């Protein structure tokens, strides 16, 4: 059955962390959200306090008064792709509607948390999901990494609901876990998941949302406390690599959480950062993965790769 609202939020304590810590500081560490840090906070001078107060009082006359936007998406899923539908001669198209709320790409807030807006590679991963819906999602445990506003994870959820609704498949393997490390992004991610929930209760697809910082130790903890030692058949990610320091932690996470027969589908976008797709692929091989190019748009600089254990 569909999960309750409790399943959306994390059962374990989260830390306060935004991805500018990587882009500008190079770290994956964060602080506990209740303010109890591992190290005592440094003392700030009264001058620092005065400066902060002054900054809060300043008004930017050029700032967008409404930095948020709603984006509506409609995807066409062929019912004929389903084995059960094919047996019944059902070749109708099922329309999937998704509404995403987030910041505009040029909003100041995106400089702190890149996951607060939608990036172009996510659309390519969405299309891949639609094209491979049955083989990718039927009876699977799905995990999205670096979900941001959650478009791909929500689409995976709705595809699985459509597939399993038509096939009356009640297997407990049908679940989607949507994650991000950024605590600001998680707020909007959970709102978007709730915004796109269906009132129907016979889908037998469970959805949850948790914080996940990449790396071996944090992923092992996630596997123990969140996944309950059950690895994922499908891992999804798009537009997640924007600094060299996160490439190794990413592959440690995939290596830890992916099922031995699983697949990791990642959409990569070329950006003005010191990270190339070649460096990502080399590190994948170093961690024991083989890969296949699934989609590419050289003009836009976007590639979709499917990774499996070699």
């Amino acid at each position: 059955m569909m999960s309750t609202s409790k399943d959306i939020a994390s059962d374990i304590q989260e830390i306060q962390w935004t991805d500018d810590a990587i882009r500008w500081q190079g770290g994956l560490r964060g602080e506990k959200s209740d303010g109890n840090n591992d190290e005592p906070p440094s003392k700030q001078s009264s001058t620092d306090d005065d400066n902060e107060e002054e900054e809060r009082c300043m008004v930017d006359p050029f700032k967008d008064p409404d930095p948020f936007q709603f984006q509506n998406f409609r995807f066409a899923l062929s019912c004929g792709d389903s084995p059960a539908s094919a047996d019944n001669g059902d070749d109708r198209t099922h329309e999937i509607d998704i509404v995403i709320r987030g910041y505009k790409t040029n909003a100041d807030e995106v400089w702190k948390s890149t996951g607060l807006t939608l990036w172009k590679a996510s659309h390519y991963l969405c299309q891949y999901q639609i094209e491979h819906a049955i083989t990718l999602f039927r009876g699977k445990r799905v995990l999205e990494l670096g979900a941001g506003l959650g478009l791909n994870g929500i689409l995976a959820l709705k595809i699985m609901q459509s597939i399993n609704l038509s096939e009356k498949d009640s297997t407990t393997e049908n679940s989607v876990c949507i994650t991000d490390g950024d605590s600001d992004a998680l707020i909007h991610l959970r709102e978007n998941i709730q915004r796109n929930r269906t009132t129907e209760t016979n889908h037998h697809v469970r959805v949850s949302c948790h914080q996940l910082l990449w790396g071996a130790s944090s992923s092992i903890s996630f596997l123990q406390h969140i996944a309950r030692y059950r690895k994922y058949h499908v891992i999804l990610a798009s537009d997640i690599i924007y600094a060299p320091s996160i490439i190794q932690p990413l592959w440690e996470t995939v290596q830890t959480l992916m099922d031995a027969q699983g697949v990791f589908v990642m959409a990569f976008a070329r950006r003005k950062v010191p990270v190339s797709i070649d460096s990502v692929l080399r590190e994948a091989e170093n961690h024991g993965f083989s890969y296949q190019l699934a989609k590419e748009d050289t003009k836009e600089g976007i590639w979709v790769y499917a990774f499996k254990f070699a």
Side-chain angles (χ1 to χ4, degrees):
M1 63 179 180
M2 278 294 294
S3 61
T4 63
S5 58
K6 180 180 179 181
D7 294 317
I8 292 182
S10 177
D11 296 331
I12 61 176
Q13 186 180 22
E14 297 179 353
I15 63 173
Q16 182 65 34
W17 183 87
T18 53
D19 66 28
D20 61 338
I22 292 176
R23 288 177 288 122
W24 311 125
Q25 303 167 30
L28 277 167
R29 293 185 60 192
E31 298 176 351
K32 294 180 180 179
S33 57
D34 63 358
N36 296 323
N37 305 331
D38 295 335
E39 298 178 357
S42 59
K43 295 182 179 180
Q44 297 184 354
S45 66
S46 58
T47 303
D48 292 336
D49 293 337
D50 292 340
N51 290 337
E52 290 180 3
E53 182 65 27
E54 182 179 349
E55 289 178 359
R56 284 195 293 269
C57 294
M58 293 177 63
V59 177
D60 182 359
F62 302 104
K63 185 177 177 65
D64 189 341
D66 184 17
F68 289 99
Q69 64 178 352
F70 282 92
Q71 296 189 58
N72 297 279
F73 299 90
R74 172 164 289 182
F75 302 94
L77 178 66
S78 174
C79 294
D81 291 337
S82 166
S85 299
D87 292 341
N88 297 329
D90 185 358
D91 58 354
R92 293 173 301 172
T93 297
H94 177 72
E95 292 184 340
I96 296 176
D97 292 310
I98 297 176
V99 180
I100 297 294
R101 181 181 185 269
Y103 283 92
K104 300 173 184 176
T105 304
N106 60 354
D108 292 343
E109 289 79 1
V110 176
W111 284 96
K112 182 178 180 182
S113 301
T114 57
L116 294 178
T117 192
L118 288 175
W119 301 97
K120 57 185 178 181
S122 63
H123 304 292
Y124 289 75
L125 184 56
C126 284
Q127 191 57 42
Y128 180 90
Q129 292 185 60
I130 293 294
E131 293 170 355
H132 300 82
I134 300 300
T135 57
L136 202 59
F137 295 125
R138 188 182 181 208
K140 302 294 179 60
R141 286 170 47 80
V142 179
L143 172 70
E144 185 181 11
L145 302 177
L149 297 177
L151 174 60
N152 283 283
I154 294 170
L155 176 58
L157 170 65
K158 287 185 171 289
I159 289 174
M160 293 175 72
Q161 289 174 343
S162 300
I163 293 171
N164 296 317
L165 179 62
S166 63
E167 297 179 8
K168 297 182 173 58
D169 185 355
S170 61
T171 174
T172 57
E173 289 300 308
N174 293 308
S175 65
V176 180
C177 180
I178 308 176
T179 70
D180 203 288
D182 190 295
S183 45
D184 288 352
L186 281 167
I187 296 173
H188 298 276
L189 172 58
R190 286 172 175 143
E191 289 177 352
N192 281 324
I193 294 173
Q194 189 65 40
R195 182 173 289 111
N196 289 277
R197 289 172 76 102
T198 178
T199 57
E200 297 181 46
T201 59
N202 58 341
H203 291 298
H204 306 291
V205 184
R206 192 176 186 86
V207 60
S208 61
C209 180
H210 302 278
Q211 184 179 50
L212 174 57
L213 291 174
W214 304 339
S217 60
S218 57
S219 298
I220 291 172
S221 177
F222 188 92
L223 181 63
Q224 294 171 340
H225 301 291
I226 301 299
R228 307 298 182 188
Y229 295 99
R230 300 178 67 200
K231 297 192 176 185
Y232 296 90
H233 306 111
V234 178
I235 299 181
L236 304 171
S238 69
D239 253 323
I240 57 170
I241 302 176
Y242 40 81
S245 61
I246 64 176
I247 298 177
Q248 179 174 332
L250 166 65
W251 290 115
E252 290 174 351
T253 294
V254 177
Q255 191 177 52
T256 301
L257 297 178
M258 193 170 82
D259 182 80
Q261 304 301 318
V263 61
F264 171 41
V265 184
M266 180 182 69
F268 178 91
R270 182 177 59 229
R271 298 196 175 281
K272 294 180 180 179
V273 294
V275 178
S276 67
I277 185 60
D278 291 336
S279 62
V280 175
L281 297 178
R282 282 195 300 270
E283 196 63 34
E285 292 178 328
N286 292 339
H287 282 79
F289 293 94
S290 61
Y291 56 84
Q292 181 177 1
L293 179 62
K295 271 182 173 298
E296 70 174 331
D297 186 332
T298 55
K299 182 179 180 180
E300 292 292 334
I302 297 177
W303 296 268
V304 178
Y305 280 89
F307 299 86
K308 294 185 176 182
F309 284 111

